[in-house]
Amino acid sequence: MPTERFQFESAGAHQLAAALDLPDGAPRAYALFAHCFSCGKDVHASRRIAMALAAQGIAVLRFDFTGLGSSEGDFANTTFSSNVADLVRAAAHLRKTRAAPALLIGHSLGGAAVLAAAAEIPEAKAVVTIAAPSDPSHITGQFSDRIADIRANGTAAVSLAGRPFRISSALLDDVAEVRLMDKITHLHKALLIMHSPVDDTVGIDNATRIFVAARHPKSFVSLDHADHLVTDRKDAGYVAGVIAAWASRYVDAAAPQPAASNAAPREVVVRETRAGKFQQTVAIEPHHLIADEPLAAGGDDTGPGPYDFLLAGLGACTSMTMRLYADRKALPLDRVTVTLRHRKIHAEDCAECETKVGMIDQMERVIAMEGTLDEGQRAKLMEIADKCPVHRTLTSEIRIVTRRAD
C-alpha cells in the first residue's frame, strides 16, 4: 500500500509533516487520525491502525502536530486549542487536494481533539476515540509535580514517556477552559468509543463519561487487555478492523458502476502487507479484504485464510443460484444458509473418486432452507445447488495460467 509524505501549513504558519496511507485501489473514504499527546504520526499505534484501515479501503491522513516529530514550531508554544486548529487545517488540506475526511479518529488526547474539532469539519460523518480522556485537563496529571514550577516560571521541562518536553502555563490555562462535554453532547455525528478496562494512563471511567454525554448513534467497544498506547500489533489490527466495519454504515462507499454484458472480468489483486508472516491485502476493485492464516498455521488470524475464501465463494454462489431459481419459480423460500467445511481425506475412503492413492480435498456443504417448502421443492432446490457456476468450475477441468509480471 502506498504512503504519500508531504507538508501542509498549520494555523500558526508552520510546516507540518504528514503521511497519507492509501489503499491499492480507489479509496472508499478518507479519514483523519490524531495521535496521542507528545506522540507523533509514526508511533506504532498510529501507523499500524492507519495501514490496516488502508487495507480495508480507507485512506488515512496522519500528521505531526506543531513542534512534534518532523513538524516545525515549538512544542512549548502549543496548546490543546492549537492542536484542534491543526486538525481543522489538516482536514482543509484533504478537502482541497483529495476529499474531505468522512471519518475522524483520535488516540488518547487526540481523541479529545477530534471531538473538539468535529463541529468545524462538517463533512465528517463519524468520530472514533481510542483511550481518550473526557477532559483535556487530564493530561496535567502526567506532570502534576511540575505544575507549580510551570506557573511560577511560565514554562518548565517535564518528562513524558521518558522524553523531555517543555510545557507552558498557556497550555494549563487552555485545557482548564475547554468544555469538551458540551461539544460531545452537541456532536451530531456517529460516535465509536474504544477503551481498555485496564488502561492505567486514562482510566475507563473517561469512556463512561463520554458515552453518557453523547447522543445516539453511539457505540462502545472494550479493548480488553490492550495497553494505553495499543502497542500490541494484534490489538492495533483489531482496532482497525472494528473501525472499518463500524464506519461502513456512515461513510460513503465507492459508487457502483453499471453492469455491462461485455464488461471485462474484474481483477483481484493480492499483496503482502508485511505486517505479519502471512497477512495479505485483497483488492477486488472497490472492495478491500484481509487474508491471513490461523494461529495454528503460523499466521495471526487477522482475516480469512485462502481456503476460507474458496469456501465462501462456493457458499455465496450456491445461495445466490438457489435464490434466483426460487424467485423465478415463485417458491416460498424465505432464506438460505450454507455451512461449509474443507478437509483432507484418504482417497481410498472415497468410493466414487477417480484418485485411489494418497489424500484428496473434500468440501462439505450443508444447506438449510427456511420457508413453507414441500419435499419436492426442497429436493429440486438441492439439485439446483449443484448447478451453481462456482460448483461447476470446481468440479470441471480448470486451467491456471501463471506468468511473471514485467
Side-chain angles (χ1 to χ4, degrees):
M1 291 169 288
T3 298
E4 293 184 4
R5 295 187 179 272
F6 54 88
Q7 293 182 327
F8 66 93
E9 189 172 84
S10 73
H14 298 296
Q15 291 298 309
L16 303 185
L20 180 63
D21 297 291
L22 293 162
D24 290 324
R28 290 168 48 198
Y30 286 84
L32 180 57
F33 192 106
H35 58 71
C36 54
F37 183 60
S38 78
C39 297
K41 69 179 184 304
D42 294 317
V43 70
H44 289 308
S46 299
R47 187 175 69 253
R48 287 172 177 167
I49 292 171
M51 291 180 65
L53 283 171
Q56 298 281 346
I58 299 176
V60 182
L61 174 64
R62 48 192 170 93
F63 68 96
D64 293 326
F65 284 115
T66 299
L68 291 173
S70 300
S71 289
E72 296 178 349
D74 186 350
F75 180 78
N77 294 330
T78 64
T79 63
F80 178 76
S81 294
S82 71
N83 285 348
V84 171
D86 283 351
L87 273 170
V88 174
R89 292 292 291 236
H93 180 82
L94 264 183
R95 185 183 297 113
K96 180 180 178 181
T97 59
R98 298 276 184 161
L103 180 62
L104 307 178
I105 307 168
H107 180 205
S108 192
L109 188 65
V114 295
L115 289 169
E120 299 183 62
I121 307 173
E123 300 92 341
K125 298 178 181 178
V127 179
V128 180
T129 65
I130 306 164
S134 58
D135 186 336
S137 64
H138 183 280
I139 61 170
T140 61
Q142 298 183 45
F143 47 84
S144 56
D145 59 328
R146 301 289 289 155
I147 289 180
D149 290 337
I150 296 171
R151 288 296 187 192
N153 303 311
T155 66
V158 304
S159 178
L160 299 173
R163 293 183 296 152
F165 290 90
R166 186 159 289 276
I167 300 294
S168 70
S169 58
L171 174 65
L172 303 183
D173 294 337
D174 182 67
V175 295
E177 294 175 359
V178 174
R179 298 293 178 263
L180 189 61
M181 283 299 166
D182 291 342
K183 294 183 180 294
I184 295 171
T185 301
H186 300 93
L187 186 61
H188 300 304
K189 301 178 191 293
L191 175 62
L192 171 62
I193 303 161
M194 309 185 79
H195 214 113
S196 169
V198 296
D199 190 331
D200 56 5
T201 302
V202 178
I204 189 67
D205 54 312
N206 287 269
T208 301
R209 286 191 288 270
I210 294 172
F211 188 85
V212 170
R215 296 174 179 174
H216 286 290
K218 57 183 177 180
S219 305
F220 172 77
V221 172
S222 173
L223 297 182
D224 295 341
H225 305 294
D227 58 25
H228 178 69
L229 293 178
V230 197
T231 53
D232 188 276
R233 176 162 45 86
K234 293 179 183 177
D235 289 332
Y238 174 75
V239 167
V242 170
I243 292 173
W246 174 84
S248 65
R249 290 181 64 88
Y250 307 106
V251 301
D252 293 332
Q257 299 298 314
S261 58
N262 60 347
R266 296 209 292 190
E267 282 191 340
V268 176
V269 180
V270 180
R271 178 174 294 164
E272 286 186 305
T273 67
R274 303 306 294 156
K277 184 176 181 180
F278 294 120
Q279 191 186 74
Q280 314 282 322
T281 61
V282 182
I284 311 170
E285 293 191 356
H287 310 294
H288 297 263
L289 308 166
I290 290 287
D292 204 338
E293 287 282 14
L295 297 173
D300 293 323
D301 204 19
T302 58
Y307 279 103
D308 298 328
F309 278 108
L310 187 63
L311 291 178
L314 175 60
C317 182
T318 300
S319 181
M320 291 174 184
T321 302
M322 294 173 69
R323 171 55 55 197
L324 286 171
Y325 180 83
D327 288 353
R328 187 166 63 248
K329 297 296 184 178
L331 300 181
L333 177 64
D334 294 337
R335 179 179 287 114
V336 178
T337 302
V338 185
T339 304
L340 304 103
R341 180 186 178 196
H342 167 262
R343 62 183 177 133
K344 297 280 189 179
I345 65 169
H346 292 282
E348 60 191 28
D349 294 333
C350 179
E352 65 272 23
C353 295
E354 294 181 5
T355 302
K356 299 301 180 184
V357 179
M359 306 293 289
I360 63 172
D361 292 277
Q362 177 169 291
M363 293 184 183
E364 300 167 2
R365 178 175 52 179
V366 178
I367 302 173
M369 291 170 275
E370 300 176 32
T372 56
L373 298 157
D374 60 36
E375 285 305 313
Q377 291 169 332
R378 291 177 184 273
K380 184 61 179 179
L381 285 167
M382 289 297 290
E383 177 185 332
I384 292 298
D386 285 343
K387 297 181 179 180
C388 95
V390 172
H391 181 115
R392 290 180 170 179
T393 297
L394 291 173
T395 54
S396 62
E397 182 178 359
I398 301 175
R399 179 171 179 251
I400 299 175
V401 179
T402 303
R403 65 178 186 274
R404 187 177 68 184
D406 293 334

